[in-house]
Amino acid sequence: MGQEAGMEPAQVAQRGAELDARGRAAPVRRFLGLPIGMSRVVDLPRAPTDREWELLISQFRTTFQTHGNPTTAGGLREWSHGDLHISVEPTEHGVQLRLSTRNDAAVALNGLGILTGGMSVLMGATVAAAGKPEKALVVMGMFGGMALAAFGANLLRSPRWARERARQMEEVASH
């Protein structure tokens, strides 16, 4: 197809290698439908040298603007900062680079939304059972509003976070 489009075989091979180098995105982890975890896996032709590993950590620190802790155990290398990780892992066919992260703030906001939503129902039912149905609506509205605010904040933040992390991981993987 490349020849039909006027491309040299070397150009086609180079472009194919560039696409392969970006790796593959793993399925996005979700909680209540919102993205909370991202990862990307890149097959490597060989294990990185010590110098290449150090350069990768340096690029990761620059891309994600954070410091972390590298560890080595046998043939496994890992760098992490909180829930942000990179690792070089052996596979059946060689070695792979795994990049992964999790958005703890999104998990916490969803949990807060569930908690305040449940409190809305519980407190509203309690106030209504006490013979104050008009006040039950106020209590339900107050706690329900907090639940909606938590979910709404996540609805705005999580997709943007996921897009940015996917872009950053692709950038590191293609390097």
Side-chain angles (χ1 to χ4, degrees):
M1 288 185 344
Q3 286 177 338
E4 290 176 13
M7 295 176 66
E8 295 294 321
Q11 288 176 313
V12 174
Q14 179 184 0
R15 185 64 184 136
E18 288 171 5
L19 290 173
D20 286 344
R22 295 186 320 190
R24 60 194 178 282
V28 175
R29 287 181 288 166
R30 296 181 180 278
F31 179 54
L32 298 177
L34 296 171
I36 61 160
M38 308 291 297
S39 61
R40 180 170 286 278
V41 177
V42 181
D43 292 322
L44 300 175
R46 59 176 173 71
T49 65
D50 290 344
R51 176 79 175 143
E52 290 168 335
W53 175 243
E54 291 164 358
L55 289 170
L56 180 62
I57 289 173
S58 177
Q59 183 189 7
F60 209 68
R61 286 177 173 165
T62 301
T63 300
F64 291 96
Q65 300 175 358
T66 189
H67 294 282
N69 300 311
T71 58
T72 303
L76 182 67
R77 290 180 169 182
E78 185 173 20
W79 175 93
S80 63
H81 177 79
D83 285 322
L84 186 59
H85 300 272
I86 58 172
S87 59
V88 175
E89 311 163 336
T91 66
E92 281 185 31
H93 306 291
V95 181
Q96 70 182 15
L97 173 68
R98 180 182 308 273
L99 309 144
S100 63
T101 188
R102 181 180 146 159
N103 188 343
D104 283 338
V107 174
L109 276 174
N110 279 345
L112 180 64
I114 291 170
L115 178 68
T116 55
M119 294 222 15
S120 171
V121 173
L122 179 65
M123 296 298 289
T126 302
V127 171
K132 310 270 186 189
E134 66 284 349
K135 290 188 179 185
L137 290 176
V138 172
V139 169
M140 288 179 73
M142 182 176 69
F143 283 104
M146 286 189 278
L148 289 175
F151 289 129
N154 243 3
L155 194 59
L156 294 174
R157 295 176 63 234
S158 289
R160 184 177 33 211
W161 170 87
R163 284 190 303 274
E164 177 65 9
R165 285 297 187 254
R167 183 195 63 75
Q168 290 170 321
M169 287 181 177
E170 185 174 329
E171 178 184 315
V172 170
S174 64
H175 178 74

